[in-house]
Amino acid sequence: MVVSSGLRLDSPQAARLSVQVAAIAPDSTALRCLDWDRDRFDIEFELRNGTTYNSFLLKGEKIALIDTAHAKFSDLYFHELRQQVDLEQIDYLIVNHTEPDHSGLIADLLAVAPQITVVASKVAMQFLQNQIHRPLAAQIVKSGDRLDLGRGHELEFISAPNLHWPDTILTYDHGTQVLYTCDVLGLHYCDDTLYDEQPTRLEADFQLYYDCLMAPNARSVLAALRRIEPLPIAQVATGHGPLLRHHLADWRDRYRTWSEAQAQTTPFVALFYAGDYGHSDRLVQAIGQGILKTGLAVELVDFLETDIPTVRELATSAAGLVVGMPPQDRPELAPLLSTLLTAAHPGQTIGLFETGGGQDEPIFPLRNRCQELGLTLGFEPIAIKAEPTAATDKLCEEAGTDLGQRIQAQAATGPRQRPDSALATGLDQALGRLSTGLYVLTAQRGEVSGAMLASWVMQTGTQPPGLAIAVAKDRAIESLLGWGDTFVLNVLEEGQSQRLIKHFLKRFPPGADRFAGVATCPAPNGSPVLAAALAYLECTVTHRLEAHDHWIVCATAGAGRVAKPHGLTAVHYRNSGSHY
Ligand SMILES: Cc1cc2nc3c(=O)[nH]c(=O)nc-3n(C[C@H](O)[C@H](O)[C@H](O)COP(=O)(O)O)c2cc1C
């Protein structure tokens, strides 16, 4: 049975949003929200063929919904869902991951159906509780946990962190052999063909999706593929694009081949943690995000799900190690930790953290031991004993970035690196003749703030006033400059800028308040205005473009003020194009 609702392409005024409803297996129905015109994803990812957000309804003796859809589908989605089920009868909502395009309707759903128990990974549940701001019935699941819906539909959850969101799980129905993967093996392709009968139409978008979303986490892709290997899979019900059934082995092989190639060429950091313990999974995700910003790959290794040979192999081959202190009362983990320390070797960079589980192995003796082994500390040990917050997430992310930058800096000074002769001569000098102004970019999001001295700034339009700023991918402020985020661009004044430049160029420890000792007041958009700025602009990010080692952050300026009408902007002259 395939049913579609909503306005379609054939009408000139069509909303170009529609919902396709189709039975995919016994008691299993897909509700595919077709977004025919969406042309951008994750701000920097251009779409050629729209996308879909796929949600699934399973009716055993208990009823479960797997993921929802983008908030823009609210009316269409709930209309179709009500045709299929009385919302008050739904027992579970399984959240494979919390990215808004799949979770955008969760708050609305729970408002009308508060009896629903939300099933998700621990990290996902924390994100959801922050998003929804209301008590919810929660069931946290980890790899291997099962949920029996009755009538043969026994669901098993498989953790797949970082694919491509930190909190991802996959859901496998043992009754129908359908694997619900959300983003994994998905593609942005909008069409009302339910399945992958015609792979040649799909393969370019399948690869683009892999390259943009999965390739940075190739090692995590391989780990997830290993986890699903033993399962007999009849079809993969993805969260985007068509479901995969006709060429499943081929799609999986492509993921494996691309990921193996990627994993061989990108140095990686292995992050070891005890998944079920304290807040270690949230901390390790945030540290991992910070490492990814530096261009290194990450591999998350749960002490509770690994074995000695895997630990030995990873700890030997990783460029860096991060260890979350495991609980002392789990003696079976001690051999894993000692294998790790035996395999670790000088030249590697290490970071340690404590999670607040209350029983952690002592961190400082381990730090001393690592230093005796000749390992370099990537960041000072982190101890987060209380409930993690956005501020502690940012601290962990910045610590991860510090560790990644140390590894990259070591690689850059290694014997194989030679200066690029073109850059060392004319090209470098000619680039250095490009001059700019000097600015301090400031941003505040809730309790988290950031600041950066910037010179690669230009106006890009007048109606509306547009700006573009090149922000290195590993800047701490980068994660506060996503689509829709607001910031302030402070213009520095000639002759008055040295103190501020010196201040903002300090190497700040992870989580430090970059405004301590600097006079500021909040702009109407909440970001700090420097009291000594010549002028400032309040800006909103509209999109970002990828430019090798920088993001080009494009924004519109909504308001601005000049403090000294006759003041001059500080100008930045350089000699070399290889530095700011
Ligand atoms: C004169 C000058 C101009 C700079 N301009 C930029 C810029 O436009 N974009 C950028 O990403 N970094 C720029 N930087 C580098 C950052 O300001 C600096 O490294 C940063 O504050 C370090 O912050 P982090 O801890 O967030 O990496 C500039 C540095 C200097 C000295």
Side-chain angles (χ1 to χ4, degrees):
M1 175 199 60
V2 176
V3 179
S4 280
S5 79
L7 291 166
R8 284 286 316 278
L9 290 171
D10 29 344
S11 142
Q13 290 84 34
R16 313 258 299 179
L17 300 178
S18 55
V19 179
Q20 180 190 43
V21 180
I24 60 164
D27 314 316
S28 314
T29 304
L31 290 102
R32 297 178 69 232
C33 294
L34 309 184
D35 190 347
W36 298 86
D37 297 325
R38 183 153 180 184
D39 61 358
R40 199 162 282 285
F41 216 88
D42 280 4
I43 8 181
E44 45 271 341
F45 179 1
E46 269 186 37
L47 304 188
R48 300 178 284 215
N49 294 305
T51 192
T52 76
Y53 320 98
N54 306 335
S55 165
F56 302 93
L57 183 66
L58 308 190
K59 288 184 180 169
E61 281 142 24
K62 301 274 184 189
I63 298 180
L65 192 61
I66 302 185
D67 295 320
T68 61
H70 197 289
K72 67 168 94 166
F73 277 88
S74 183
D75 292 347
L76 285 173
Y77 177 81
F78 283 115
H79 172 77
E80 283 306 331
L81 187 61
R82 283 181 208 278
Q83 308 292 311
Q84 303 300 319
V85 67
D86 177 355
L87 302 192
E88 285 164 15
Q89 303 298 315
I90 300 176
D91 298 286
Y92 298 106
L93 170 68
I94 294 161
V95 179
N96 276 332
H97 88 163
T98 53
E99 204 177 5
D101 53 327
H102 306 282
S103 64
L105 297 175
I106 294 180
D108 294 352
L109 177 66
L110 296 182
V112 289
Q115 82 288 347
I116 292 178
T117 299
V118 178
V119 180
S121 70
K122 192 161 79 177
V123 181
M125 206 63 86
Q126 287 162 344
F127 284 137
L128 277 178
Q129 270 153 348
N130 289 340
Q131 257 174 37
I132 289 173
H133 303 299
R134 61 156 65 213
L136 52 87
Q139 184 170 335
I140 291 174
V141 288
K142 55 185 188 329
S143 241
D145 284 355
R146 292 188 179 217
L147 176 68
D148 194 352
L149 299 181
R151 298 176 55 164
H153 298 283
E154 189 171 19
L155 305 183
E156 179 176 344
F157 304 102
I158 300 135
S159 119
N162 279 340
L163 297 185
H164 87 107
W165 210 246
D167 53 13
T168 305
I169 53 169
L170 315 179
T171 302
Y172 178 71
D173 184 344
H174 281 271
T176 56
Q177 301 187 339
V178 179
L179 180 68
Y180 298 89
T181 56
C182 207
D183 279 356
V184 183
L185 293 160
L187 64 152
H188 291 306
Y189 191 91
C190 184
D191 186 326
D192 46 18
T193 310
L194 183 60
Y195 285 107
D196 57 338
E197 284 95 336
Q198 296 183 328
T200 48
R201 286 172 57 201
L202 307 176
E203 57 193 3
D205 287 306
F206 186 79
Q207 179 152 15
L208 178 69
Y209 186 96
Y210 174 88
D211 288 345
C212 293
L213 300 185
M214 299 291 153
N217 293 302
R219 302 190 73 90
S220 304
V221 174
L222 292 172
L225 290 177
R226 280 195 296 274
R227 286 202 177 116
I228 60 172
E229 196 70 55
L231 303 174
I233 300 174
Q235 57 177 300
V236 167
T238 60
H240 294 295
L243 281 54
L244 309 179
R245 187 174 73 185
H246 299 283
H247 305 277
L248 194 45
D250 179 40
W251 300 123
R252 277 167 73 167
D253 282 350
R254 287 180 200 224
Y255 257 45
R256 186 173 297 106
T257 309
W258 294 332
S259 300
E260 280 169 355
Q262 185 78 22
Q264 269 169 15
T265 53
T266 315
F268 76 100
V269 177
L271 297 97
F272 298 88
Y273 68 111
D276 207 12
Y277 179 61
H279 304 292
S280 58
D281 32 17
R282 176 155 168 185
L283 268 59
V284 84
Q285 299 291 347
I287 296 170
Q289 287 302 316
I291 295 170
L292 284 171
K293 283 169 64 168
T294 66
L296 296 168
V298 297
E299 175 135 2
L300 302 188
V301 193
D302 188 342
F303 277 129
L304 306 168
E305 291 181 16
T306 190
D307 52 29
I308 285 183
T310 309
V311 172
R312 186 180 299 117
E313 194 272 312
L314 290 171
T316 309
S317 53
L321 305 166
V322 171
V323 183
M325 305 312 293
Q328 279 176 304
D329 58 359
R330 298 289 290 265
E332 74 276 20
L333 302 185
L336 296 171
L337 196 55
S338 48
T339 301
L340 193 161
L341 291 175
T342 312
H345 47 83
Q348 284 175 319
T349 304
I350 191 158
L352 305 172
F353 69 92
E354 275 184 356
T355 74
Q359 289 269 317
D360 313 41
E361 287 281 346
I363 200 167
F364 288 102
L366 185 64
R367 182 196 59 181
N368 298 344
R369 176 87 194 282
C370 291
Q371 286 179 315
E372 280 159 25
L373 288 170
L375 303 175
T376 310
L377 276 193
F379 52 80
E380 283 304 316
I382 298 174
I384 293 181
K385 294 293 184 188
E387 187 78 22
T389 60
T392 57
D393 287 347
K394 190 81 174 77
L395 182 156
C396 290
E397 185 190 301
E398 290 183 18
T401 301
D402 277 4
L403 180 132
Q405 285 172 336
R406 284 211 163 85
I407 294 173
Q408 295 288 32
Q410 255 174 2
T413 54
R416 280 179 298 148
Q417 291 286 325
R418 276 194 215 102
D420 184 316
S421 56
L423 270 185
T425 57
L427 170 57
D428 184 40
Q429 291 169 4
L431 268 176
R433 294 303 183 272
L434 300 181
S435 61
T436 55
L438 281 170
Y439 311 89
V440 174
L441 196 62
T442 59
Q444 180 92 37
R445 198 196 297 161
E447 55 184 331
V448 175
S449 62
M452 174 190 99
L453 177 70
S455 55
W456 293 3
V457 176
M458 66 182 286
Q459 185 167 349
T460 55
T462 50
Q463 293 289 346
L467 293 169
I469 305 167
V471 177
K473 287 183 174 173
D474 57 351
R475 292 279 168 260
I477 200 171
E478 178 274 341
S479 43
L480 301 178
L481 299 174
W483 175 83
D485 285 341
T486 56
F487 64 90
V488 159
L489 185 70
N490 293 273
V491 181
L492 299 188
E493 185 183 0
E494 190 65 59
Q496 306 294 323
S497 57
Q498 279 313 314
R499 196 182 57 81
L500 288 172
I501 292 175
K502 201 168 154 211
H503 174 85
F504 286 106
L505 283 178
K506 277 196 301 234
R507 190 161 178 92
F508 292 95
D513 173 8
R514 291 177 187 231
F515 297 100
V518 179
T520 63
C521 61
N525 74 3
S527 293
V529 174
L530 305 183
L534 171 65
Y536 75 88
L537 293 156
E538 284 184 72
C539 306
T540 304
V541 179
T542 52
H543 58 286
R544 308 201 314 185
L545 307 168
E546 189 166 8
H548 304 287
D549 47 0
H550 285 68
W551 294 115
I552 310 297
V553 176
C554 300
T556 50
R561 280 216 159 53
V562 177
K564 295 188 194 167
H566 302 294
L568 293 176
T569 303
V571 181
H572 183 44
Y573 293 109
R574 313 176 296 165
N575 292 321
S576 152
S578 47
H579 299 97
Y580 292 107

